[in-house]
Amino acid sequence: MTEQKRVVVIGGGIAGLTAAYRLQQNGAQDVNVQLVEASERLGGKIQTVRKDGFTIERGPDSFLARKESATRLANDVGLKDKLTPNGTGQSYILVNNKLHPMPSGSYMGIPTRIRPFLFSGLFSPLGKARAAMDLIKSTKSVDEDQSLGLFFRRRLGNQVVENLIEPLLSGIYAGSIDELSLEATFPHFYDLEQEHGSLIKGLRKTTTVSKRKKGEKKPSMFRTLQGGLESLVEAVESKLEPGTVLKGTKVDHIERKQDHYHIMLSDGSVMEADSIIMAVPHFAAQRMLSQYDFLEPFKETNATSVANVAMAFDESAIKKDIDGTGFVVSRNSDFRITACTWTHKKWPNSTPDGKVLLRCYVGKPTDQEVVDYSDEEIVEIALKDLNQTMNITEKPEFSIVTRWHDSMPQYKVGHKDRLNGIEEQLQRELPGVYLAGGSYRGIGLPDCIDQGEAAVAKVLNYLS
Ligand SMILES: Cc1cc2nc3c(=O)[nH]c(=O)nc-3n(C[C@H](O)[C@H](O)[C@H](O)COP(=O)(O)OP(=O)(O)OC[C@H]3O[C@@H](n4cnc5c(N)ncnc54)[C@H](O)[C@@H]3O)c2cc1C
Ligand SMILES: Cc1c2[nH]c(c1CCC(=O)O)Cc1[nH]c(c(CCC(=O)O)c1C)Cc1[nH]c(c(CCC(=O)O)c1C)Cc1[nH]c(c(C)c1CCC(=O)O)C2
């Protein structure tokens, strides 16, 4: 590359931020990087509120440690000392209005050890027998994608799906298990079935969910940063060269010119680019390129809305507590909340001594209207549900409600094929334009970071 090439990153969530940062690190003086963000702040769904000594997450509260890119990014921007593992404790599933401990030795709800399942109150003897059929049931190879629901129901039966797998998956994708794609979410499970003839056998052979000795602590799976996840956003932003970021400016439209692109901005100006990373949700990407039919399938990919409420209490307000870090709710319960995190136990640093911080989630796929209830109504719903298992005698000292509209993209059956098709066309019609972020190839923060980094590699390859 001789003259400086102009790369524009659209969207300042974690995918776009990572892309801009890595471009400046790896592309050095050969590229000029601009990041355009519609809102007045960076971070997108990562948003931390620091109030009265509490650290409160409005969006994600942590990332999975085994997906390494988030830890690596945190290390690279100087936050190594701030990485914090979750406090481990019992987590629960609420089934038929009663809390049941998550059976130990399970991976995403699939047994890798038989004993904890045999003794779990989550399933009837018939349900347990049906799950054990997985050990002998013939495998079914299919050429096409299938829903998570179909796959797991066939292997393990309805009860294990409804009382364990479904609530856990809802706590990740906030969607309907009978619509979500196996290939786009957990392709690994299909491979296990094919290779080992059984999910349980396959997992027992390949996972390291080892038996713990008595008194030995559960390993912690998640990480956050002291001061909240927004400190990652702040640290990455501080590493960007001055003048890189344009906030409060929306990209309205993109047009291809001979060998470069024109990017129409909401302030009426036009930005020129040789290459573009679109780190925005799929529906925003589609709108920017609405003249191209091949992005139309993105219009059909919906994203569900969710809301959550963080509630701070004095310890004394909780008369009957539960020893644990959180629970998810099965669909066969009367509860309207979908999950609750005992944040003060999962993240002890988040809460001052003597206080309690609970975070409840609402917005089942079949209960989307609750997201637009008033703050007071959402608090009331959360307290009413919590009081069925706990005894909370006072109103919260304060509460913070966050609504996330169209924020959980649904990877429906066929997602991967549709996306591959769109990206092929994109390469043909708009060379040098790439997609990255939670709408595409993984919703977790590390997946979004991976996609930002992968897009950088593609851009640098394209420009050379
Ligand atoms: C409530 C909730 C809880 C979650 N919990 C977890 C968790 O615990 N762990 C985990 O790993 N993941 C979690 N996730 C998922 C994770 O937060 C997201 O997948 C991830 O943050 C998405 O990052 P992104 O950069 O792809 O997109 P976003 O964060 O959505 O960023 C996109 C950015 O693009 C901007 N933008 C949009 N349109 C335009 C435009 N036209 N022009 C310019 N800019 C534009 C937006 O303003 C935004 O800043 C959670 C998500 C939600 C909603
Ligand atoms: C038990 C529980 C879960 N999730 C949650 C609980 C409640 C109690 C608690 O906080 O402990 C909370 C939660 N986390 C997430 C949601 C959905 C969004 C919402 O409703 O706000 C909800 C309701 C997103 C998520 N929660 C998680 C992700 C990231 C997943 C990833 O990186 O692939 C997201 C978007 C992580 C998560 N979340 C869960 C599991 C088993 C995993 C790891 C999955 C794995 O091992 O691959 C279940």
Side-chain angles (χ1 to χ4, degrees):
M1 286 180 265
T2 43
E3 69 196 282
Q4 264 207 336
K5 298 283 186 185
R6 300 152 300 182
V7 183
V8 175
V9 178
I10 309 175
I14 195 64
L17 264 170
T18 302
Y21 170 60
R22 296 297 190 201
L23 268 170
Q24 287 185 341
Q25 273 191 314
N26 304 341
Q29 61 276 63
D30 297 329
V31 290
N32 172 279
V33 183
Q34 288 282 308
L35 188 155
V36 186
E37 164 57 45
S39 75
E40 295 294 343
R41 58 175 291 280
L42 297 180
K45 290 177 183 114
I46 300 177
Q47 208 173 328
T48 308
V49 177
R50 294 144 186 156
K51 181 180 160 73
D52 300 349
F54 290 88
T55 304
I56 295 172
E57 299 290 0
R58 287 178 172 275
D61 75 349
S62 54
F63 53 83
L64 279 170
R66 70 179 149 74
K67 300 183 175 178
E68 290 162 5
S69 59
T71 305
R72 195 171 58 233
L73 181 65
N75 287 344
D76 288 354
V77 295
L79 294 176
K80 192 170 185 198
D81 299 340
K82 305 282 180 200
L83 282 164
T84 314
N86 59 290
T88 56
Q90 186 61 56
S91 44
Y92 298 86
I93 305 198
L94 191 111
V95 173
N96 295 324
N97 299 357
K98 195 169 165 278
L99 287 177
H100 297 267
M102 203 90 74
S104 62
S106 65
Y107 177 77
M108 281 310 302
I110 299 156
T112 63
R113 281 168 44 217
I114 304 302
R115 276 178 69 88
F117 268 76
L118 285 178
F119 291 108
S120 171
L122 275 170
F123 322 108
S124 69
L126 213 59
K128 291 171 191 173
R130 175 60 186 83
M133 296 270 291
D134 168 68
L135 294 164
I136 50 171
K137 210 172 161 48
S138 62
T139 62
K140 189 172 172 188
S141 72
V142 288
D143 294 331
E144 293 192 339
D145 192 11
Q146 55 187 307
S147 76
L148 285 167
L150 193 71
F151 177 77
F152 286 124
R153 283 182 212 282
R154 190 167 56 74
R155 292 283 357 146
L156 299 160
N158 282 335
Q159 220 179 72
V160 168
V161 166
E162 276 157 28
N163 294 357
L164 188 54
I165 296 179
E166 213 258 2
L168 276 173
L169 286 168
S170 305
I172 303 173
Y173 293 101
S176 156
I177 187 167
D178 290 306
E179 292 184 13
L180 288 171
S181 151
L182 177 65
E183 197 188 16
T185 56
F186 292 100
H188 179 55
F189 286 139
Y190 178 74
D191 300 339
L192 279 181
E193 182 205 28
Q194 295 300 311
E195 277 164 41
H196 301 270
S198 143
L199 280 178
I200 300 175
K201 282 187 201 160
L203 275 175
R204 289 175 76 171
K205 286 199 183 124
T206 55
T207 52
T208 50
V209 185
S210 57
K211 202 172 166 177
R212 281 190 315 269
K213 296 194 188 75
K214 236 191 156 154
E216 200 180 334
K217 275 188 101 184
K218 239 173 48 180
S220 59
M221 279 173 40
F222 300 105
R223 298 285 180 274
T224 191
L225 290 159
Q226 240 177 71
L229 286 176
E230 195 159 311
S231 46
L232 180 61
V233 173
E234 291 157 355
V236 177
E237 185 177 8
S238 75
K239 298 279 175 192
L240 297 177
E241 283 159 24
T244 305
V245 181
L246 186 60
K247 293 181 194 172
T249 308
K250 193 168 153 248
V251 171
D252 287 331
H253 197 64
I254 300 174
E255 256 176 43
R256 183 177 172 181
K257 299 289 157 189
Q258 245 120 18
D259 62 348
H260 69 287
Y261 294 95
H262 277 186
I263 299 173
M264 277 35 123
L265 303 181
S266 53
D267 63 7
S269 64
V270 179
M271 204 177 239
E272 296 195 8
D274 298 298
S275 182
I276 301 174
I277 296 176
M278 303 177 81
V280 292
H282 58 286
F283 44 84
Q286 191 275 330
R287 280 198 292 261
M288 287 173 210
L289 292 167
S290 55
Q291 70 273 41
Y292 293 94
D293 289 344
F294 71 86
L295 288 150
E296 292 278 313
F298 278 161
K299 272 184 165 166
E300 285 146 41
T301 309
N302 69 314
T304 50
S305 300
V306 291
N308 62 72
V309 54
M311 299 180 290
F313 299 91
D314 194 79
E315 235 169 33
S316 61
I318 316 287
K319 296 296 180 228
K320 178 177 159 239
D321 196 3
I322 292 148
D323 179 24
T325 55
F327 65 86
V328 282
V329 176
S330 76
R331 296 280 146 90
N332 52 27
S333 301
D334 301 331
F335 278 45
R336 201 154 180 191
I337 60 170
T338 56
C340 174
T341 308
W342 280 281
T343 308
H344 59 293
K345 294 188 181 169
K346 192 173 175 188
W347 307 110
N349 281 331
S350 68
T351 308
D353 288 344
K355 301 287 176 186
V356 163
L357 183 63
L358 304 178
R359 188 180 183 215
C360 290
Y361 309 76
V362 293
K364 295 177 192 175
T366 51
D367 184 24
Q368 291 282 283
E369 63 275 11
V370 71
V371 173
D372 287 315
Y373 283 15
S374 70
D375 288 8
E376 293 72 25
E377 285 168 311
I378 291 176
V379 170
E380 202 178 305
I381 285 167
L383 287 175
K384 179 168 163 272
D385 280 355
L386 286 181
N387 269 318
Q388 294 196 43
T389 58
M390 304 169 75
N391 182 4
I392 303 175
T393 53
E394 280 162 48
K395 293 251 173 273
E397 289 181 353
F398 68 86
S399 55
I400 296 179
V401 173
T402 307
R403 295 174 186 77
W404 292 105
H405 288 107
D406 305 324
S407 61
M408 300 297 287
Q410 298 297 300
Y411 295 0
K412 290 195 184 164
V413 174
H415 176 85
K416 221 167 167 177
D417 278 348
R418 277 193 298 277
L419 184 58
N420 287 341
I422 289 172
E423 288 197 321
E424 265 167 42
Q425 294 252 40
L426 194 61
Q427 212 174 351
R428 221 171 303 139
E429 310 262 348
L430 299 146
V433 178
Y434 305 99
L435 298 168
S439 281
Y440 311 105
R441 299 193 185 272
I443 192 173
L445 295 170
D447 303 312
C448 295
I449 291 168
D450 284 336
Q451 292 174 74
E453 292 177 346
V456 167
K458 289 182 213 160
V459 164
L460 294 178
N461 182 44
Y462 170 75
L463 292 178
S464 64

